[in-house]
Amino acid sequence: MEIRDSLLDRIAEAEKEGWLGEIEGLHVSLADAESRIDQIDSAPGSVAINLGMSRKAPAHPAQKEGAGSLRQSRDDQQ
């Protein structure tokens, strides 16, 4: 969707500036982007699926484990 909006903005700018060749190329790109969006929207199973994943932070963050591993490797070097 952002690509389509960007192309529309660029087409408006090209029309304002009179860049005829640019306008034609942007319209081709816009048609292709809209075609791809339509394909994605019409694809079977293209609805969002809730995977049931929790948004809560883990009880034991990985950073604590990593810090201990870093200390251990420093001790090993000495």
Side-chain angles (χ1 to χ4, degrees):
M1 302 290 182
E2 289 179 38
I3 293 172
R4 181 180 58 198
D5 294 343
S6 175
L7 285 167
L8 290 170
D9 290 342
R10 291 173 60 193
I11 289 170
E13 179 184 10
E15 288 174 344
K16 177 182 165 192
E17 298 295 332
W19 302 331
L20 301 179
E22 186 76 8
I23 294 168
E24 184 178 343
L26 290 169
H27 277 291
V28 170
S29 296
L30 178 61
D32 186 48
E34 288 178 338
S35 173
R36 290 174 187 243
I37 291 169
D38 290 342
Q39 288 175 359
I40 291 168
D41 289 344
S42 65
S46 63
V47 296
I49 299 173
N50 181 357
L51 298 177
M53 298 174 66
S54 173
R55 299 186 84 191
K56 294 181 180 180
H60 302 286
Q63 291 177 340
K64 287 185 179 180
E65 291 177 21
S69 299
L70 181 57
R71 276 190 225 112
Q72 182 65 37
S73 64
R74 285 183 184 164
D75 291 342
D76 293 342
Q77 292 176 356
Q78 294 177 353

